[in-house]
C-alpha cells in the first residue's frame, strides 16, 4: 500500500507517492499503512474571467438513485461550504458504481496564498503489478481494505473568493462545488505517476505504473507508443511527457470522445501537479462538457458534471 495526494488552486495534480506496497493476496493484517506524508504539488488559477461559463449536469442525473455511497467526515467547514461540498459528493455518488462506501476526510483550514485546496487518494494498492487507488481497490475486493479514508481533502478557509451557491458562480468568484467535484475526481483515480526531471522522465513508482499510466500514449492513434513501455528514466520518456502530444486511449474513451483518444495536458515545460494528470485545456475549453478535469478552474467557471470522457476514463481504470 502506498499513499498519495494532490493539490488544487484552480485545478489539481498528482503528488509524490510514499509508503508500503501490498502484494497481491496479502492480508490486511500484514499491510498496515505507514504514516508518511505525501508531497502536495501546487497548480495555478487560469486568467481572470470576463464572462461566466456554465456546464450543468443532465437533469435526469439529479433524479437517478445513487450507485455509490460516499461517507464524508467534515472538520471546520461552514454550513454553506459543507452544503456545496455535499452537492459535489452527490454528483459522484450518481456516477460511480461500488458496493463499498467511499470514505472521505475533508478539512477546512488555512492554506498557502492562492491555493484553493489539496486532495487525493490516501493509498494505492498493488493489484497484479499495477497500482490501483484505494477506492478502486476496495471496489474490486468488495470490502474496505484499510481503515484509513479513501480520499483526503483540504480546502482553504482563508481564500476570499469562494462561491457556495447552487446557481452559477459570478465572475470574480470560484465555484466551490466545481473545485470539490474536480478534486474528488483525482481521489477516485484520475491521475498517474508521470514525472519529468531535467531531461528524463518516468511513469513508474517503485517499478510499477498506476492503472491510468497503462493507457497513455505519445500520439493520438491506437498504434501510438504507450508511455509505460518506454525505457524508465529515459530522455525518450522525458521528451514524451513534455511533448504536448500525450493522449489517454481506450475503446471507452474513444466512444465518449467522438472516436478520438483524449488529449492530456503535457506542456513543453513540466508543471508538477498539473502536467499529465489532467485533460488538455485547449482541447476541452471552458464551457465544454468535459472541461472539469482540465488543469485550471477560473473564476466565473461553473462545472457541475465530470463529463463523458472523464467517466469513460475512470471506467477504463477500474470503475
Amino acid at each position: 500500500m502506498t499513499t498519495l495526494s494532490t493539490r488544487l488552486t484552480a485545478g489539481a495534480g498528482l503528488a509524490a507517492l510514499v509508503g508500503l506496497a501490498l502484494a497481491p493476496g496479502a492480508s490486511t493484517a500484514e499491510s498496515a499503512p505507514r504514516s508518511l506524508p505525501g508531497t502536495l504539488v501546487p497548480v495555478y488559477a487560469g486568467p481572470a474571467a470576463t464572462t461566466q461559463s456554465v456546464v450543468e449536469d443532465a437533469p435526469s442525473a439529479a433524479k437517478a438513485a445513487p450507485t455509490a455511497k460516499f461517507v464524508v467526515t467534515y472538520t471546520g467547514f461552514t454550513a454553506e461550504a459543507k452544503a456545496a461540498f455535499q452537492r459535489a459528493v452527490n454528483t459522484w455518488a450518481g456516477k460511480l458504481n461500488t458496493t463499498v462506501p467511499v470514505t472521505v476526510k475533508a478539512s477546512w483550514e488555512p492554506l498557502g496564498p492562492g491555493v484553493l485546496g489539496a486532495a487525493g487518494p490516501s493509498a494505492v494498492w498493488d493489484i497484479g503489478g499495477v497500482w490501483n487507488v484505494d477506492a478502486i481497490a476496495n471496489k474490486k475486493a468488495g470490502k474496505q481494505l484499510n481503515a484509513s479514508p479513501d480520499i483526503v481533502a483540504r480546502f482553504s478557509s482563508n481564500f476570499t473568493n469562494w462561491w457556495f451557491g447552487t446557481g452559477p458562480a459570478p465572475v470574480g468568484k470560484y465555484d466551490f462545488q466545481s473545485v470539490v467535484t474536480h478534486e474528488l475526481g483525482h481521489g477516485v483515480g484520475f491521475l498517474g505517476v508521470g514525472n519529468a526531471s531535467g531531461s528524463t522522465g518516468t511513469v513508474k513508482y517503485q517499478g510499477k505504473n498506476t492503472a491510468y499510466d497503462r493507457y497513455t500514449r505519445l500520439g493520438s492513434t491506437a498504434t501510438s507508443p504507450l508511455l509505460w513501455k518506454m525505457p524508465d528514466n529515459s530522455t525518450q520518456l522525458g521528451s514524451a511527457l513534455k511533448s504536448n502530444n500525450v493522449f489517454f486511449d481506450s475503446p471507452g474513451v474513444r466512444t465518449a470522445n467522438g472516436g478520438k483518444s483524449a488529449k492530456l495536458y503535457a506542456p513543453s515545460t513540466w508543471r508538477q501537479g498539473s502536467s499529465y494528470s489532467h485533460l488538455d485545456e485547449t482541447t476541452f475549453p471552458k464551457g465544454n462538457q468535459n472541461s472539469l478535469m482540465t488543469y485550471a478552474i477560473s473564476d466565473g467557471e461553473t462545472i457541475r458534471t465530470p463529463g463523458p470522457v472523464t467517466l469513460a476514463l475512470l471506467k477504463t481504470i477500474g470503475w
Side-chain angles (χ1 to χ4, degrees):
M1 180 175 173
T2 298
T3 59
L4 70 157
S5 53
T6 66
R7 172 168 289 189
L8 177 72
T9 56
L14 175 66
L17 301 176
V18 294
L20 177 67
L22 175 70
S27 72
T28 54
E30 298 170 332
S31 58
R34 293 179 181 174
S35 297
L36 296 176
T39 303
L40 298 177
V41 182
V43 292
Y44 302 95
T50 56
T51 59
Q52 286 180 304
S53 171
V54 182
V55 181
E56 295 284 3
D57 208 354
S60 59
K63 300 177 182 178
T67 49
K69 180 180 180 181
F70 281 66
V71 179
V72 184
T73 302
Y74 294 102
T75 301
F77 284 75
T78 63
E80 59 180 356
K82 185 187 291 188
F85 195 114
Q86 192 62 45
R87 291 194 299 271
V89 165
N90 293 345
T91 294
W92 279 111
K95 305 298 185 185
L96 304 178
N97 195 323
T98 179
T99 60
V100 184
V102 179
T103 56
V104 183
K105 180 182 178 181
S107 59
W108 182 250
E109 59 187 81
L111 298 177
V115 178
L116 303 179
S122 63
V124 290
W125 299 79
D126 179 359
I127 299 176
V130 178
W131 297 124
N132 283 246
V133 300
D134 220 352
I136 292 177
N138 292 341
K139 171 185 167 71
K140 290 181 176 181
K143 62 181 180 180
Q144 192 70 247
L145 293 172
N146 191 270
S148 299
D150 302 324
I151 301 171
V152 176
R154 303 183 182 99
F155 296 90
S156 178
S157 61
N158 54 10
F159 194 77
T160 61
N161 289 34
W162 286 122
W163 173 257
F164 299 108
T166 57
V171 172
K173 298 284 187 178
Y174 287 88
D175 185 54
F176 188 67
Q177 183 178 339
S178 299
V179 171
V180 175
T181 306
H182 177 117
E183 281 297 348
L184 291 177
H186 288 296
V188 298
F190 195 114
L191 74 173
V193 293
N195 182 59
S197 178
S199 63
T200 64
T202 183
V203 291
K204 291 183 178 180
Y205 175 73
Q206 293 186 351
K208 302 179 182 71
N209 319 109
T210 66
Y212 177 103
D213 301 311
R214 289 298 181 101
Y215 295 92
T216 56
R217 295 183 182 273
L218 177 61
S220 62
T221 72
T223 58
S224 296
L226 288 161
L227 267 62
W228 74 273
K229 291 190 174 181
M230 294 181 182
D232 193 32
N233 292 313
S234 65
T235 55
Q236 179 187 11
L237 193 45
S239 295
L241 288 166
K242 297 178 288 185
S243 66
N244 194 32
N245 193 34
V246 178
F247 292 78
F248 189 101
D249 187 27
S250 72
V253 165
R254 285 180 176 270
T255 297
N257 195 38
K260 299 180 289 186
S261 54
K263 191 172 185 181
L264 301 178
Y265 182 60
S268 58
T269 299
W270 179 260
R271 296 187 65 182
Q272 185 65 33
S274 297
S275 295
Y276 183 66
S277 291
H278 292 91
L279 294 175
D280 181 66
E281 182 86 17
T282 301
T283 306
F284 305 102
K286 280 193 251 185
N288 185 283
Q289 64 178 338
N290 295 300
S291 58
L292 177 71
M293 297 307 296
T294 60
Y295 82 98
I297 294 177
S298 296
D299 62 296
E301 186 174 9
T302 301
I303 319 165
R304 299 286 170 79
T305 179
V309 168
T310 290
L311 293 176
L313 184 155
L314 291 173
K315 188 172 183 180
T316 296
I317 66 172
W319 283 105

